[in-house]
Amino acid sequence: MTRVVVDREVCMSAGVCEVEAPEVFELDTAGRLQVGQPTDLTAVETAVRACPTGALSLVED
Amino acid sequence: MSSPTLDLDTVDLSDRSFWGAPPEQRHAVYDQLRRERPFAFFAEPVIPYIEPGPGYHAVTRYADVEAISCRPALFSSGAGAVSIADMPPDLNEFYGSLISMDDPRHGKIRRIVAKAFTPRVLEKLVGNVQAVADDVVTRARRTAEDGDGTIDVVADLAAPIPLRVICDMMGIPDGDRALVLRQSNVILSGGDPELVEDEEQMVTAFLKAGEELAGLMARLAAERHAHPADDLTTALVTTEVDGERLTHQEIASFFILLLVAGNETTRNAISQGVLALSEHPGERARWAADPGLTRTAVEEIVRWTSPISWMRRTATQDVELSGQSFPAGSKFLLFYGAANRDPAVFADPHRFDLSRDPNPHVGFGSRGPHFCLGAHLARREIGVAFRAFADQLPDLEVIGPPARLESSFVNGLKRLPARLTGVR
């Protein structure tokens, strides 16, 4: 199964992923990134690539 | 723009007048630098009372801008990102904000306000942005009707929209907003003689502008401590980082950064977007007829205008870039407007194409921790503003050349004369 890993040290809560794949990524009210289970993999891959800080990666379990 | 070859030895990016010239000239220089001298070296501009540093490399290729931007450990912002000279300590008091900080401190402070700039939070703000834009447009029409039918696109349309939105977000009272506009104009004037009359007094003018805004911050901070509100100023004065409140200096410089950055950048994207649309009537008509174009049109306006011309990075150790070696301490200015016209990335880069897609421009900065905090806000403001102009100001007509800001840092307009042909 594919899942998204967030490097919390690197994430700046820029919210670019949330624009690309709002069903999967959401910055909560504290500005912390919450990640759901990827459904539309294409959108998630776009979001991972678009992250300005390179905080996101996809891993296969 | 395959323009005739220039003598690059006569070009000086540190000369303020270079930046007041029409953008075609700048882009011809960028194109040639990118091809022939992608790390061209320039002496630092002379600023009275500031010790000039060793000079800087102008980075004009997209790939190099990205390579520097995405390696913050090698290319630091901490020695100053928004000035070519290292910031003297007294100016640092007001301008040494997180934009000139490295991680981990940068990240910790940035996250205090990041939650107010997320796409979902800003979605709720759209109604407010729309109301502001509608009101600004209505007032502009009244100005034209009460006068001779003319308006200034900068003062009457482009400046008030982002000013009111960021002041609302920060909880700045109406009575203080003129002061915010005046002082942020000075801070980002780049020493333009119209805004800083006496060049000898440039540093004093920057200090005074910082003091004025810091004074406003101190007054608001005291109020918010007593009566917390749902605004950014409250977040700044009440949040703790590593169990500690931000220092007075950190709050002041962050407050100034948010106000100034929230104002000047979007203003210049809007004013120069209006100019670009007047120069490309076909694109203007296409967007007016098709609101679905807004997403890509906004990105193209940011690419085309690149409102912030550069940010600086400083090598923390000996580094290599595209096969060239640079010693530790080398300064690099990342010229976003040059990267945004790099033919290696953008097909037909000097074509203004509102449906350009993909459009991986670096108008909000390139990859890395300093990517523009306000990018989502700016996109919404620009999108809402231009839809309002298309719907409510179809008779807007630019009638003269703009007055350009003589600043290397901000690609800005001071004035852009226009008229509303429907008025008379």
Side-chain angles (χ1 to χ4, degrees):
Chain A
M1 204 167 66
T2 306
R3 76 194 159 83
V4 181
V5 176
V6 186
D7 185 337
R8 299 282 171 190
E9 291 293 307
V10 172
C11 174
M12 285 295 146
S13 305
V16 175
C17 55
E18 194 176 289
V19 173
E20 298 294 343
E23 301 79 21
V24 179
F25 299 98
E26 178 167 5
L27 289 161
D28 65 19
T29 52
R32 191 179 156 88
L33 184 61
Q34 304 296 331
V35 184
Q37 183 56 42
T39 42
D40 175 2
L41 258 191
T42 315
V44 172
E45 282 165 2
T46 306
V48 168
R49 268 198 310 276
C51 173
T53 60
L56 302 176
S57 48
L58 286 173
V59 293
E60 295 287 338
D61 284 345
Chain B
M1 220 184 277
S2 52
S3 42
T5 312
L6 301 149
D7 180 2
L8 284 181
D9 290 332
T10 64
V11 169
D12 182 8
L13 299 189
S14 293
D15 178 359
R16 192 181 304 124
S17 65
F18 175 84
W19 301 97
E24 295 72 32
Q25 206 169 312
R26 175 186 317 172
H27 285 294
V29 169
Y30 281 161
D31 282 351
Q32 202 172 329
L33 286 174
R34 205 189 295 111
R35 282 193 307 267
E36 297 173 16
R37 299 183 192 176
F39 300 103
F41 188 79
F42 294 95
E44 301 194 9
V46 177
I47 302 172
Y49 308 112
I50 295 216
E51 189 71 30
Y56 61 89
H57 297 278
V59 184
T60 43
R61 286 195 303 217
Y62 186 98
D64 295 321
V65 167
E66 187 171 49
I68 292 172
S69 191
C70 74
R71 288 184 290 172
L74 284 185
F75 300 96
S76 162
S77 296
V82 294
S83 62
I84 296 174
D86 290 352
M87 194 95 74
D90 46 354
L91 281 175
N92 213 44
E93 167 81 18
F94 304 122
Y95 305 119
S97 67
L98 82 164
I99 208 167
S100 293
M101 254 178 226
D102 291 317
D103 287 318
R105 188 77 186 161
H106 157 264
K108 285 174 179 170
I109 294 184
R110 176 170 173 146
R111 287 187 194 100
I112 295 172
V113 295
K115 59 178 181 280
F117 289 91
T118 73
R120 278 184 177 83
V121 170
L122 292 172
E123 188 64 47
K124 293 180 202 141
L125 202 76
V126 164
N128 179 37
V129 177
Q130 186 70 57
V132 167
D134 288 344
D135 184 54
V136 166
V137 163
T138 305
R139 284 165 190 264
R141 184 165 291 284
R142 202 176 307 143
T143 299
E145 284 167 353
D146 292 349
D148 59 357
T150 65
I151 59 168
D152 172 13
V153 171
V154 176
D156 296 319
L157 293 176
I161 294 173
L163 175 72
R164 283 169 60 175
V165 170
I166 193 68
C167 285
D168 282 349
M169 289 176 76
M170 295 186 65
I172 309 285
D174 284 344
D176 292 311
R177 295 180 177 195
L179 175 137
V180 168
L181 182 63
R182 208 164 51 239
Q183 303 309 340
S184 62
N185 276 341
V186 171
I187 291 167
L188 287 189
S189 64
D192 183 294
E194 195 176 312
L195 290 144
V196 179
E197 283 174 13
D198 182 357
E199 196 180 39
E200 286 294 313
Q201 300 297 319
M202 203 188 299
V203 172
T204 314
F206 291 152
L207 273 175
K208 194 167 170 300
E211 270 169 24
E212 291 271 349
L213 290 183
L216 170 62
M217 188 280 296
R219 183 153 52 79
L220 284 183
E223 284 174 27
R224 294 301 190 277
H225 271 304
H227 308 286
D230 185 19
D231 59 32
L232 288 171
T233 304
T234 303
L236 287 186
V237 299
T238 58
T239 308
E240 295 186 348
V241 176
D242 295 337
E244 286 176 22
R245 292 271 169 90
L246 297 186
T247 65
H248 178 83
Q249 189 259 319
E250 284 171 329
I251 296 174
S253 61
F254 202 165
F255 180 86
I256 291 169
L257 172 70
L258 288 171
L259 277 181
V260 172
N263 252 311
E264 300 277 333
T265 51
T266 310
R267 176 203 314 171
N268 289 312
I270 293 174
S271 63
Q272 289 179 101
V274 169
L275 180 61
L277 290 176
S278 87
E279 290 166 346
H280 300 86
E283 289 298 277
R284 182 182 177 184
R286 197 155 73 98
W287 193 3
D290 179 10
L293 209 55
T294 300
R295 183 185 64 84
T296 54
V298 167
E299 299 304 318
E300 182 67 345
I301 284 177
V302 177
R303 183 189 78 92
W304 188 256
T305 60
S306 300
I308 295 296
S309 293
W310 52 262
M311 288 283 169
R312 178 187 136 198
R313 297 291 185 270
T314 309
T316 56
Q317 59 190 69
D318 295 354
V319 291
E320 195 168 294
L321 282 165
S322 298
Q324 282 195 51
S325 301
F326 301 90
S330 296
K331 295 180 181 183
F332 299 91
L333 297 200
L334 313 182
F335 281 92
Y336 300 121
N340 280 338
R341 305 278 181 111
D342 187 339
V345 177
F346 301 98
D348 206 354
H350 295 298
R351 198 164 83 92
F352 182 65
D353 174 6
L354 293 183
S355 50
R356 189 180 286 277
D357 192 19
N359 186 350
H361 68 79
V362 289
F364 294 118
S366 185
R367 288 172 181 281
H370 290 277
F371 183 81
C372 178
L373 172 72
H376 306 301
L377 175 62
R379 286 179 168 123
R380 293 200 181 275
E381 288 176 326
I382 296 167
V384 167
F386 279 95
R387 280 319 308 169
F389 300 164
D391 295 340
Q392 300 167 52
L393 300 175
D395 57 337
L396 177 70
E397 186 183 287
V398 171
I399 53 171
R404 291 195 169 271
L405 186 68
E406 289 188 11
S407 160
S408 83
F409 182 66
V410 175
N411 178 26
L413 302 187
K414 293 184 286 191
R415 288 176 298 281
L416 178 63
R419 64 174 175 165
L420 300 181
T421 56
V423 169
R424 59 178 64 190

